[in-house]
């Protein structure tokens, strides 16, 4: 694993734990990782997210809209007013949930050699999710995941971006 990737993942995991705690979540999930990536200063991943209109606020708004629609599908109607804030968890979660694990696994699986891992591989892991909160939120935000995935791959050096 490249030192750059290891340092980035550690910083993203710290921010994601904070995001999960603010959301009252028991585990770090894909949405917390995506929010954390949008807040990290790493230039390539941040530039890619920004190019798709995905800053922290836009991601938060898309996740809120996904939540409203999920509630609506379950028969709970929430008007257009702002959702009430979640109850902050008393503890930062240290456990990674199922979707969070998938992000990490799919990001790491995108390279043949772990030394070739770059921060953008974590974003690639998010984009490789086919079901769940994050893919639905990205669709609601109007993100073309195939286009963004192709741009992420082009940003990666050498063969690492071709897998």
């Amino acid at each position: 694993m490249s030192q750059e990737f290891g340092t980035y993942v550690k910083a993203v995991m710290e921010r994601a734990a904070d995001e999960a705690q603010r959301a009252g979540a028991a585990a770090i999930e894909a949405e917390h990782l995506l929010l954390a990536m949008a807040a990290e200063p790493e230039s390539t991943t941040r530039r890619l997210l920004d190019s798709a209109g995905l800053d922290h606020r836009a991601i938060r708004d898309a996740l809120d809209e996904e939540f409203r629609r999920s509630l609506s599908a379950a028969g709970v109607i929430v008007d257009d007013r702002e959702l009430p804030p979640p109850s902050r968890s008393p503890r930062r979660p240290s456990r990674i949930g199922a979707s969070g694990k998938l992000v990490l696994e799919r990001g790491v699986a995108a390279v043949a050699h772990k030394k070739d891992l770059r921060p953008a591989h974590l974003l690639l892991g998010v984009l490789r999710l086919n079901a769940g909160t994050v893919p639905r939120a990205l669709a609601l935000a109007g993100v073309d995941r195939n286009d963004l995935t192709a741009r992420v791959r082009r940003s990666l050096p050498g063969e690492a971006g071709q897998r």
Side-chain angles (χ1 to χ4, degrees):
M1 180 175 351
S2 76
Q3 183 176 5
E4 176 189 20
F5 182 76
T7 301
Y8 179 73
V9 169
K10 182 178 180 188
V12 166
M13 292 301 292
E14 288 294 318
R15 281 188 194 264
D18 290 340
E19 293 286 350
Q21 183 179 21
R22 274 192 292 282
I28 299 166
E29 297 290 355
E31 60 263 33
H32 307 125
L33 292 169
L34 182 58
L35 285 164
M37 283 184 247
E40 271 301 305
E42 191 277 326
S43 63
T44 302
T45 305
R46 186 84 173 266
R47 180 179 43 79
L48 288 161
L49 286 168
D50 286 346
S51 74
L54 294 173
D55 62 9
H56 192 273
R57 177 80 259 159
I59 294 167
R60 179 80 265 147
D61 289 348
L63 289 167
D64 287 349
E65 181 60 22
E66 189 282 331
F67 184 64
R68 279 187 197 90
R69 290 188 184 204
S70 293
L71 287 174
S72 178
V76 178
I77 305 302
V78 178
D79 63 20
D80 287 337
R81 290 178 292 165
E82 190 172 317
L83 291 171
S87 298
R88 183 180 174 94
S89 178
R91 282 191 239 151
R92 284 177 80 221
S94 58
R95 187 175 65 80
I96 301 173
S99 66
K101 287 177 185 176
L102 279 175
V103 167
L104 294 170
E105 289 168 4
R106 291 178 180 180
V108 170
V111 297
H113 305 287
K114 302 307 176 231
K115 66 179 177 54
D116 294 331
L117 283 166
R118 300 290 179 266
H121 284 104
L122 199 56
L123 177 55
L124 198 55
V126 168
L127 295 171
R128 287 183 165 181
L129 295 174
N130 295 316
T133 301
V134 170
R136 288 190 304 268
L138 292 176
L140 289 169
V143 173
D144 181 338
R145 286 181 36 222
N146 291 330
D147 176 63
L148 184 53
T149 298
R151 287 188 286 129
V152 170
R153 287 183 173 159
R154 284 193 301 271
S155 78
L156 295 166
E159 292 184 344
Q162 304 304 312
R163 288 191 48 153

